[in-house]
Amino acid sequence: MGDHDVSPNPKGSFRKFLEQLSGAGKAIGVLTSGGDAQGMNAAVRAVVRMGIYVGAKVYFIYEGYQGMVDGGSNIVEADWESVSSILQVGGTIIGSARCKDFRSREGRLKAAHNLLQLGITNLCVIGGDGSLTGANIFRKEWSGLLEELAREGKINTEEVQKHGYLNVVGMVGSIDNDFCGTDMTIGTDSALHRIIEVVDAIMTTAQSHQRTFVLEVMGRHCGYLALVSALACGADWVFLPESPPEEGWQENMCIKLSENRARKKRLNIIIVAEGAIDTQNKAITSEQIKELVVTQLGYDTRVTILGHVQRGGTPSAFDRILASRMGVEAVVALLQATPETPACVVSLSGNQAVRLPLMECVQMTQEVQKAMDERRFKDAVQLRGRSFENNLNTYKRLAIKLPDSQIRKSNCNVGIVNVGAPAAGMNAAVRAAVRVGIADGHKVFAVYDGFEGFAKGQVKEIGWADVGGWTGQGGSILGTKRTLPGKYLEDIAAQMHTHGINALLIIGGFEAYLGLLELSAAREKHKEFCVPMVMVPATVSNNVPGSDFSIGADTALNTITDTCDRIKQSASGTKRRVFIIETMGGYCGYLANMGALAAGADAAYIFEEPFDIRDLQSNVEHLTEKMKTTIQRGLVLRNESCSENYTTDFIYQLYSEEGKGVFDCRKNVLGHMQQGGAPSPFDRNFGTKISARAMQWISTKLKEPAGRGKRFVSDDSVCVLGISKRNLLFQPVAELKEETDFVHRIPKEQWWLKLRPLMKILAKYKASFEVSDAGQLEPMQPRGPEEPATI
């Protein structure tokens, strides 16, 4: 953890990294522009700290482009401490403003002169497509602007040569997620948190009064927030600018609402994007919808307009990590840039940071608007990307039930079981699987209380309406146990036979994975197990082989981050205090490592990176030095099983003893609160989509020519469905065995270890950092036939 760094780094040492990427003599300006978004501060912090780390000077440019044009006290050098304690703050601390002056060449000439006086020739712009387009125009005009300044005698020819070109790297900060080329923009996830908090609160009051609520969310040109929040709360109807409702929607919507009421549903929720339109491009407003429901159905109806609440509040763990990764990547991109490098934007693909040509992304984003203006709505949805299209299709399948007479029966029975510890998002996954299964013509059976309940015959058919309102519920409604099927194989096989179960969907953590292996091994003995079986990973520990993410881990991460924020706040009153916090996760350090990155911790002890007493000592020294600055508090995370001997108590006592007279120490074990609570929007959405996909796979398998009545014995009929880098993959458990450390219940290789140096760099440790794969620009291209792993 200290100077002798042991992070996995096959690509050379820290020294080599610095030689490749020295920022010495370079000056970087960072600004936020356009509408604010939660997470912008995390991006600013990452740019400042990474810049200083590689030896560059970094300048805050206050009030966006306006500050650049006005110059003077608007452009100020930043130091390490000036970005302390901003990670958890919403909005942007360096301000943002719309700027008319910068749109004129005269304004840009002033801006260039202001930057030159400080030698700033590298710009990092955090904003929407307008802000990024402005930066690109500035970059293209740069040499012309310098010549003009030289002619006016404001700079000399030497300066023209020395600062001959401007490098620009963008990051997209926008709560609407309306930028083509990135799966997620900074602020989107936090905005969804705000929306879902409101929806959850409204649902309880609406149920009391049998009300209909019309909820208007932001998104003047983009329906992403409306669509994903509709998916995450199981809304009855959603209105989007990209996909207007078909002619006659008024009648269809009223029929749908009254059908839901007839099924004993006490509330209706309709979500409207502020830019919602009909097929003639006329606005559909929330008031119009309310009038329609009141006059046609006579329901008690209320309108709630969320407005700027969605921009506010603290950034979610996802946004902090995303922004930190992008900020570091942006600095690396600036340092690697040459005069020929086009302006690029750092974006997210699956769970990888990539660089794309800025203007191609902007053009594609503008194409969407053009398609909508020309009423080519199908094109608009496709241009938004595969993720948007998938979300829309999933929503339609889950929200609208065809009459039984129109569903082709498959005569197949599918069982669904939850296994292991409860994880937030399990219920959303069960709901999606049940509804897709029914839509595909299967009978769906719920198995209660895991494999133990299965053996006892706690199996019951479950219907479409039975899972209404499940998305927002925490824990596991079906009940879940850690028991493995091994000792109940006879009984489980008998129950599969009794209920004629033709396929099995298992939702759970490492026990579910082990259970799947046991069922697969028992196929020779019990023909009942020769059916398609698929597992969807759901565990806060995020330790299932075959998937980079598990349902429930995001909710746990947010709990840890919120707690760390509160603890840090409590320390700000008392001078010089260090907190040691223990997280869950078994031997898997995911929660401790990512929690440390999201909360801005000083160190994180994890099993995957062995540490010894010298590391603990160097951390104490590091904190002692830190206490001499204005930042007089420390945060240390420890994964529960990171070391047998260096327990939380031991570390606490060591720090207390060594820090005597410099800082005092407190410890906190977070415990089971990490498993509880309402699922985050990410987990609801991820659980919904991945489990709907698993059920589609089951349907496809059951339709195979030899599917009916045949025995499935091949490896590819027992799979784990997971996200790997950028794709959704079904991987046979037989193959995953090779990749598993069964003793410690973790995958042998874990992608997030690559982010470990990031946390250290941002906490002022030297660390080896792999520069992203060759650091090249990727072309903008439509995704291939494989499935995108976007959330």
Side-chain angles (χ1 to χ4, degrees), residues 390-402:
N390 276 2
N391 279 333
L392 188 57
N393 294 337
T394 308
Y395 173 76
K396 286 177 179 167
R397 290 204 72 178
L398 298 176
I400 298 156
K401 182 183 187 293
L402 288 171

Side-chain angles (χ1 to χ4, degrees), residues 196-216:
I196 294 303
E197 280 160 21
V198 171
V199 173
D200 284 354
I202 279 177
M203 277 182 146
T204 51
T205 165
Q207 288 218 324
S208 315
H209 299 277
Q210 295 207 19
R211 281 199 177 132
T212 296
F213 267 90
V214 181
L215 218 73
E216 185 181 302

Side-chain angles (χ1 to χ4, degrees), residues 304-439:
T304 302
I305 296 173
L306 290 190
H308 281 74
V309 167
Q310 295 159 83
R311 285 194 192 282
T314 47
S316 65
F318 184 94
D319 272 331
R320 297 179 197 197
I321 293 166
L322 174 68
S324 301
R325 287 177 72 180
M326 286 184 168
V328 167
E329 183 68 31
V331 172
V332 173
L334 283 171
L335 297 184
Q336 289 179 330
T338 65
E340 288 72 48
T341 312
C344 78
V345 59
V346 179
S347 75
L348 183 78
S349 175
N351 71 12
Q352 292 184 301
V354 294
R355 299 179 204 167
L356 299 170
L358 174 71
M359 287 323 290
E360 285 183 36
C361 295
V362 170
Q363 272 155 355
M364 199 158 153
T365 305
Q366 288 163 352
E367 283 293 313
V368 182
Q369 192 53 47
K370 201 171 153 213
M372 279 153 57
D373 293 342
E374 293 169 5
R375 306 212 291 246
R376 292 182 287 114
F377 295 113
K378 215 170 178 181
D379 295 348
V381 169
Q382 282 179 335
L383 285 164
R384 276 271 178 249
R386 291 274 299 274
S387 159
F388 190 88
E389 210 175 342
N390 276 2
N391 279 333
L392 188 57
N393 294 337
T394 308
Y395 173 76
K396 286 177 179 167
R397 290 204 72 178
L398 298 176
I400 298 156
K401 182 183 187 293
L402 288 171
D404 287 342
S405 55
Q406 288 178 34
I407 299 176
R408 281 188 55 190
K409 297 286 174 276
S410 67
N411 299 324
C412 291
N413 297 345
V414 181
I416 299 178
V417 60
N418 286 346
V419 178
M426 274 183 164
N427 297 323
V430 173
R431 168 185 175 267
V434 168
R435 292 198 167 177
V436 172
I438 291 171

Side-chain angles (χ1 to χ4, degrees), residues 698-753:
I698 285 176
S699 297
T700 310
K701 281 277 176 219
L702 292 172
K703 277 189 197 130
E704 282 178 3
R708 291 182 191 80
K710 102 158 193 182
R711 292 190 190 177
F712 288 83
V713 285
S714 60
D715 284 348
D716 69 353
S717 62
V718 188
C719 286
V720 172
L721 168 58
I723 283 188
S724 175
K725 293 197 173 118
R726 305 187 192 183
N727 305 319
L728 266 179
L729 295 179
F730 287 91
Q731 298 178 72
V733 277
E735 289 171 19
L736 290 173
K737 265 161 98 173
E738 300 305 307
E739 298 170 22
T740 310
D741 169 354
F742 284 99
V743 178
H744 299 105
R745 300 161 57 99
I746 51 176
K748 288 179 184 168
E749 298 236 329
Q750 304 193 75
W751 68 274
W752 53 266
L753 282 168

Side-chain angles (χ1 to χ4, degrees), residues 459-741:
V459 181
K460 201 169 101 196
E461 191 180 346
I462 188 166
W464 184 278
D466 297 334
V467 291
W470 278 29
T471 44
Q473 306 277 331
S476 158
I477 297 173
L478 292 184
T480 176
K481 288 229 165 92
R482 290 175 179 268
T483 325
L484 293 175
K487 52 182 174 182
Y488 300 112
L489 290 170
E490 296 279 334
D491 299 335
I492 294 174
Q495 290 297 335
M496 300 249 313
H497 183 75
T498 307
H499 294 94
I501 288 176
N502 307 92
L504 201 54
L505 169 63
I506 304 174
I507 299 167
F510 206 84
E511 285 88 2
Y513 172 70
L514 294 174
L516 197 57
L517 281 167
E518 288 185 3
L519 293 178
S520 159
R523 279 179 158 185
E524 285 175 16
K525 254 182 145 175
H526 302 279
K527 63 176 192 299
E528 288 82 1
F529 300 139
C530 298
V531 297
M533 295 191 267
V534 61
M535 174 198 161
V536 169
T539 163
V540 298
S541 306
N542 200 29
N543 62 339
V544 175
S547 190
D548 293 351
F549 292 108
S550 301
I551 300 165
D554 182 72
T555 306
L557 205 50
N558 277 297
T559 305
I560 293 167
T561 311
D562 290 346
T563 312
C564 288
D565 285 353
R566 289 178 191 182
I567 285 172
K568 276 167 81 171
Q569 203 172 13
S570 82
S572 61
T574 44
K575 285 290 170 229
R576 304 204 175 113
R577 180 165 282 177
V578 173
F579 284 90
I580 290 143
I581 295 171
E582 182 187 303
T583 67
M584 286 176 108
Y587 286 100
C588 178
Y590 177 82
L591 289 179
N593 188 65
M594 301 307 255
L597 189 55
D602 297 280
Y605 299 116
I606 60 172
F607 167 76
E608 292 87 347
E609 188 178 291
F611 56 98
D612 59 24
I613 198 77
R614 287 170 304 172
D615 296 311
L616 291 170
Q617 186 59 40
S618 81
N619 288 146
V620 172
E621 285 161 16
H622 188 270
L623 283 164
T624 309
E625 282 305 301
K626 185 178 172 180
M627 295 298 162
K628 294 175 185 167
T629 68
T630 54
I631 319 165
Q632 299 183 338
R633 43 141 231 278
L635 194 60
V636 174
L637 270 65
R638 178 190 175 274
N639 164 252
E640 58 184 356
S641 303
C642 65
S643 162
E644 217 175 307
N645 298 316
Y646 299 132
T647 59
T648 303
D649 282 335
F650 177 90
I651 294 175
Y652 163 69
Q653 285 164 350
L654 176 83
Y655 272 59
S656 299
E657 186 59 38
E658 295 293 315
K660 246 186 203 151
V662 184
F663 57 80
D664 66 351
C665 232
R666 294 285 184 275
K667 65 175 176 186
N668 199 322
V669 177
L670 297 186
H672 282 74
M673 60 189 273
Q674 293 162 81
Q675 283 178 351
S680 67
F682 181 99
D683 278 333
R684 295 179 194 201
N685 193 13
F686 179 46
T688 298
K689 285 170 67 173
I690 196 167
S691 149
R693 185 63 197 88
M695 190 54 86
Q696 286 170 332
W697 176 85
I698 285 176
S699 297
T700 310
K701 281 277 176 219
L702 292 172
K703 277 189 197 130
E704 282 178 3
R708 291 182 191 80
K710 102 158 193 182
R711 292 190 190 177
F712 288 83
V713 285
S714 60
D715 284 348
D716 69 353
S717 62
V718 188
C719 286
V720 172
L721 168 58
I723 283 188
S724 175
K725 293 197 173 118
R726 305 187 192 183
N727 305 319
L728 266 179
L729 295 179
F730 287 91
Q731 298 178 72
V733 277
E735 289 171 19
L736 290 173
K737 265 161 98 173
E738 300 305 307
E739 298 170 22
T740 310
D741 169 354

